[in-house]
PDB file of all heavy atoms in Angstrom:
ATOM      1  N   ILE D  17      -8.853  37.200  53.629  1.00  0.00           N
ATOM      2  CA  ILE D  17      -9.251  38.582  53.395  1.00  0.00           C
ATOM      3  C   ILE D  17     -10.797  38.773  53.704  1.00  0.00           C
ATOM      4  O   ILE D  17     -11.337  39.634  54.329  1.00  0.00           O
ATOM      5  CB  ILE D  17      -8.947  39.116  52.094  1.00  0.00           C
ATOM      6  CG1 ILE D  17      -7.391  39.268  51.985  1.00  0.00           C
ATOM      7  CG2 ILE D  17      -9.546  40.456  51.845  1.00  0.00           C
ATOM      8  CD1 ILE D  17      -6.937  39.517  50.525  1.00  0.00           C
ATOM      9  N   LEU D  18     -11.639  37.703  53.155  1.00  0.00           N
ATOM     10  CA  LEU D  18     -13.010  37.840  53.200  1.00  0.00           C
ATOM     11  C   LEU D  18     -13.660  37.299  54.491  1.00  0.00           C
ATOM     12  O   LEU D  18     -14.912  37.396  54.731  1.00  0.00           O
ATOM     13  CB  LEU D  18     -13.642  36.857  52.063  1.00  0.00           C
ATOM     14  CG  LEU D  18     -13.420  37.438  50.576  1.00  0.00           C
ATOM     15  CD1 LEU D  18     -13.899  36.507  49.609  1.00  0.00           C
ATOM     16  CD2 LEU D  18     -14.184  38.883  50.411  1.00  0.00           C
ATOM     17  N   ALA D  19     -12.759  36.822  55.447  1.00  0.00           N
ATOM     18  CA  ALA D  19     -13.262  36.221  56.612  1.00  0.00           C
ATOM     19  C   ALA D  19     -14.044  37.212  57.502  1.00  0.00           C
ATOM     20  O   ALA D  19     -15.139  36.884  58.016  1.00  0.00           O
ATOM     21  CB  ALA D  19     -12.048  35.642  57.521  1.00  0.00           C
ATOM     22  N   PRO D  20     -13.634  38.518  57.587  1.00  0.00           N
ATOM     23  CA  PRO D  20     -14.593  39.460  58.299  1.00  0.00           C
ATOM     24  C   PRO D  20     -16.036  39.635  57.708  1.00  0.00           C
ATOM     25  O   PRO D  20     -16.921  39.796  58.438  1.00  0.00           O
ATOM     26  CB  PRO D  20     -13.863  40.782  58.340  1.00  0.00           C
ATOM     27  CG  PRO D  20     -12.404  40.436  58.003  1.00  0.00           C
ATOM     28  CD  PRO D  20     -12.427  39.145  57.182  1.00  0.00           C
ATOM     29  N   ILE D  21     -16.042  39.570  56.342  1.00  0.00           N
ATOM     30  CA  ILE D  21     -17.310  39.704  55.753  1.00  0.00           C
ATOM     31  C   ILE D  21     -18.228  38.493  56.000  1.00  0.00           C
ATOM     32  O   ILE D  21     -19.378  38.501  56.297  1.00  0.00           O
ATOM     33  CB  ILE D  21     -17.157  39.858  54.225  1.00  0.00           C
ATOM     34  CG1 ILE D  21     -16.133  41.022  53.938  1.00  0.00           C
ATOM     35  CG2 ILE D  21     -18.444  40.141  53.486  1.00  0.00           C
ATOM     36  CD1 ILE D  21     -16.504  42.342  54.402  1.00  0.00           C
ATOM     37  N   GLU D  22     -17.611  37.223  55.936  1.00  0.00           N
ATOM     38  CA  GLU D  22     -18.309  35.977  56.160  1.00  0.00           C
ATOM     39  C   GLU D  22     -18.821  36.036  57.662  1.00  0.00           C
ATOM     40  O   GLU D  22     -19.829  35.553  57.989  1.00  0.00           O
ATOM     41  CB  GLU D  22     -17.397  34.846  55.908  1.00  0.00           C
ATOM     42  CG  GLU D  22     -16.976  34.671  54.485  1.00  0.00           C
ATOM     43  CD  GLU D  22     -17.921  33.984  53.687  1.00  0.00           C
ATOM     44  OE1 GLU D  22     -18.986  33.561  54.160  1.00  0.00           O
ATOM     45  OE2 GLU D  22     -17.624  33.750  52.436  1.00  0.00           O
ATOM     46  N   ALA D  23     -17.910  36.639  58.503  1.00  0.00           N
ATOM     47  CA  ALA D  23     -18.321  36.627  59.896  1.00  0.00           C
ATOM     48  C   ALA D  23     -19.469  37.581  60.103  1.00  0.00           C
ATOM     49  O   ALA D  23     -20.480  37.272  61.049  1.00  0.00           O
ATOM     50  CB  ALA D  23     -17.170  37.171  60.814  1.00  0.00           C
ATOM     51  N   TRP D  24     -19.612  38.774  59.496  1.00  0.00           N
ATOM     52  CA  TRP D  24     -20.720  39.525  59.666  1.00  0.00           C
ATOM     53  C   TRP D  24     -22.074  38.848  59.069  1.00  0.00           C
ATOM     54  O   TRP D  24     -23.112  39.045  59.723  1.00  0.00           O
ATOM     55  CB  TRP D  24     -20.543  40.884  58.941  1.00  0.00           C
ATOM     56  CG  TRP D  24     -21.735  41.868  59.169  1.00  0.00           C
ATOM     57  CD1 TRP D  24     -22.137  42.350  60.346  1.00  0.00           C
ATOM     58  CD2 TRP D  24     -22.687  42.198  58.218  1.00  0.00           C
ATOM     59  NE1 TRP D  24     -23.392  43.082  60.039  1.00  0.00           N
ATOM     60  CE2 TRP D  24     -23.695  42.946  58.850  1.00  0.00           C
ATOM     61  CE3 TRP D  24     -22.856  41.875  56.828  1.00  0.00           C
ATOM     62  CZ2 TRP D  24     -24.716  43.484  58.101  1.00  0.00           C
ATOM     63  CZ3 TRP D  24     -23.963  42.433  56.122  1.00  0.00           C
ATOM     64  CH2 TRP D  24     -24.819  43.325  56.698  1.00  0.00           C
ATOM     65  N   PHE D  25     -21.977  38.268  57.958  1.00  0.00           N
ATOM     66  CA  PHE D  25     -23.019  37.519  57.375  1.00  0.00           C
ATOM     67  C   PHE D  25     -23.623  36.600  58.360  1.00  0.00           C
ATOM     68  O   PHE D  25     -24.747  36.309  58.620  1.00  0.00           O
ATOM     69  CB  PHE D  25     -22.720  36.899  55.995  1.00  0.00           C
ATOM     70  CG  PHE D  25     -23.025  37.697  54.892  1.00  0.00           C
ATOM     71  CD1 PHE D  25     -22.226  38.883  54.537  1.00  0.00           C
ATOM     72  CD2 PHE D  25     -23.967  37.561  54.101  1.00  0.00           C
ATOM     73  CE1 PHE D  25     -22.475  39.691  53.511  1.00  0.00           C
ATOM     74  CE2 PHE D  25     -24.351  38.320  53.010  1.00  0.00           C
ATOM     75  CZ  PHE D  25     -23.567  39.479  52.589  1.00  0.00           C
ATOM     76  N   ALA D  26     -22.684  35.810  58.985  1.00  0.00           N
ATOM     77  CA  ALA D  26     -23.103  34.813  60.115  1.00  0.00           C
ATOM     78  C   ALA D  26     -23.699  35.408  61.201  1.00  0.00           C
ATOM     79  O   ALA D  26     -24.580  34.945  61.724  1.00  0.00           O
ATOM     80  CB  ALA D  26     -21.803  33.963  60.444  1.00  0.00           C
ATOM     81  N   HIS D  27     -23.210  36.584  61.657  1.00  0.00           N
ATOM     82  CA  HIS D  27     -23.703  37.371  62.716  1.00  0.00           C
ATOM     83  C   HIS D  27     -25.130  37.834  62.372  1.00  0.00           C
ATOM     84  O   HIS D  27     -26.006  37.808  63.337  1.00  0.00           O
ATOM     85  CB  HIS D  27     -23.003  38.620  62.917  1.00  0.00           C
ATOM     86  CG  HIS D  27     -23.290  39.522  64.086  1.00  0.00           C
ATOM     87  ND1 HIS D  27     -24.133  40.511  63.825  1.00  0.00           N
ATOM     88  CD2 HIS D  27     -23.176  39.495  65.358  1.00  0.00           C
ATOM     89  CE1 HIS D  27     -24.483  41.046  64.884  1.00  0.00           C
ATOM     90  NE2 HIS D  27     -23.818  40.522  65.927  1.00  0.00           N
ATOM     91  N   GLN D  28     -25.487  37.945  61.203  1.00  0.00           N
ATOM     92  CA  GLN D  28     -26.817  38.370  60.754  1.00  0.00           C
ATOM     93  C   GLN D  28     -27.738  37.237  60.554  1.00  0.00           C
ATOM     94  O   GLN D  28     -28.919  37.297  60.244  1.00  0.00           O
ATOM     95  CB  GLN D  28     -26.760  39.178  59.399  1.00  0.00           C
ATOM     96  CG  GLN D  28     -26.164  40.482  59.594  1.00  0.00           C
ATOM     97  CD  GLN D  28     -26.816  41.554  60.362  1.00  0.00           C
ATOM     98  OE1 GLN D  28     -26.461  41.750  61.517  1.00  0.00           O
ATOM     99  NE2 GLN D  28     -27.926  42.094  59.823  1.00  0.00           N
TER     100      GLN D  28
END
Side-chain angles (χ1 to χ4, degrees):
I17 292 173
L18 290 171
I21 309 303
E22 299 275 2
W24 180 69
F25 269 73
H27 179 265
Q28 296 292 106

